[in-house]
Amino acid sequence: MTTLAALGGPAVGAFNPPPWPQASQATLDALRDVVRSGRWSLSGAWQDGPSAEARFAAAFARFTGVPHCVPTTNGTSALVIALEALDVGPGDEVIIPGLTWVANATTVRAVAATPVMADIDPATLCLSPAAVEAAITPRTRAIVAVHLYSSVADLDAILAIGARHNVPVIEDCAQAHGAAWRGRRVGSWGAAGTFSMQQTKLLTAGEGGAVVCSDDLLHDRLYQLRSDGRRSKACPARGEMELVMDSSITGTNYCLSELGAAVLGEQLTLLAEQNHHRARTADSVDKLLFSAEGVEPIQTPLQVTGRTYYYYTLRIHPDAFGGAHAATVCRALAAETGIPFQPTYPPLYRHPLYQPSTKRRYAMPEAVSDGPPGGLPEVERAYREVITFHHSVLLAEGDALSHLPKAIDKVQCAPAELRQLEAEGIDFTNPL
């Protein structure tokens, strides 16, 4: 075998991921219309009809299968107002997975509550119901079930635990726009569902977010928390403010701009076909790798009736790669294929971006351990053994990835060179 491409050898193949985000002409037209309208913000004067924000909220609520949607500036603010709307605060605990983006912990601390990190199910990489049950205490005020990478957390089991202990479940659907569990879209099962529309997400406006729910009172509370405590006026006259002051709740300005809402409204019309394309390509990759030694695509529960792919995920068998860490294998495969492989997020309690001691407002009144001594076994194993690549790769045709099995074989046959790469250290870099 020739030298690994990461060490200067020839690559097995080349791949250029399709561009992401993708802007349609309708998206550009919608942006132009907002720019010319004179209303760039929800707090701008009413013009001749509902705001772009209100139109997107209605469309996304229909898409998710719930009555209500409150758009926000980003996924982080969506999580914050969901926690606030459920009255999570000082002295409370919130159970979150130990494998997820840092916002799941920082948002809990932002409302002065304590994040309690629980282990994951190795089959799905999502929050383990058994770990949730073990983590419940009298102080537990919410459970955040994150639908991660290309799977869905076991909603049947987690919702049953929440109901048994009278603890609401928030679905974090930042990576699962359009996924479905037993015929219903994710986000519609819990007390609230939160979404991110950040640059790399399946549905994006560069930034943006949303909270969806079915409860009328919760929706009213979410709306005010997002709008500086203001409510929407039913029938404003042209030139009047749509948002009117109220004295019920102190909120924060997390309103999505009209520009972002216009982009999201048009991008939403493309999402179903893009998700279908990704799923079709992912199926082709699964078949390509069916007989490949040492790798195994992450599967999803049978209850998932609509699978989405934020990241395509593979578990490697370390022995097949000379015991190399997943991050090292990612570096080698990326160099061989041009496919932007990445490891999973680092365990949350060791994530370099999670440093709560650097913010005084995150200080707890008592010593709190975010992660158990020794870590969470399945979270640690996933970081050592799981490799991923971004959904933009899946917007290519399946045969564009036909060189992947050969690249995997080449990397497996170079354990000494993998050890050389490993000695250079593990890169924590990972996009959202």
Side-chain angles (χ1 to χ4, degrees), residues 135-211:
I136 292 274
T137 75
R139 295 171 61 185
T140 305
R141 192 60 178 262
I143 301 165
V144 179
V146 182
H147 306 312
L148 200 67
Y149 293 127
S150 63
S151 196
V152 174
D154 187 341
L155 286 169
D156 292 346
I158 292 172
L159 287 167
I161 293 168
R164 200 157 54 244
H165 295 276
N166 196 30
V167 174
V169 175
I170 296 171
E171 293 179 73
D172 182 340
C173 313
Q175 302 183 5
H177 307 71
W181 178 270
R182 292 202 287 111
R184 272 174 55 188
R185 291 262 166 82
V186 297
S188 68
W189 290 88
T194 66
F195 292 82
S196 168
M197 284 72 164
Q198 176 267 349
Q199 170 90 11
T200 65
K201 298 303 190 292
L202 299 173
L203 176 66
T204 182
E207 288 290 357
V211 187

Side-chain angles (χ1 to χ4, degrees), residues 356-394:
S357 63
T358 63
K359 281 194 174 182
R360 289 186 64 191
R361 71 187 181 100
Y362 286 171
M364 297 292 115
E366 58 191 59
V368 173
S369 174
D370 288 309
L376 300 168
E378 292 301 336
V379 170
E380 296 285 347
R381 186 161 79 94
Y383 186 50
R384 292 193 306 270
E385 298 182 3
V386 175
I387 63 178
T388 77
F389 58 76
H390 186 246
H391 68 81
S392 59
V393 173
L394 297 175

Side-chain angles (χ1 to χ4, degrees), residues 247-269:
S247 58
S248 303
I249 299 174
T250 296
T252 307
N253 181 8
Y254 291 139
C255 293
L256 179 67
S257 78
E258 286 292 274
L259 299 168
V263 171
L264 288 175
E266 292 303 327
Q267 292 295 301
L268 183 59
T269 67

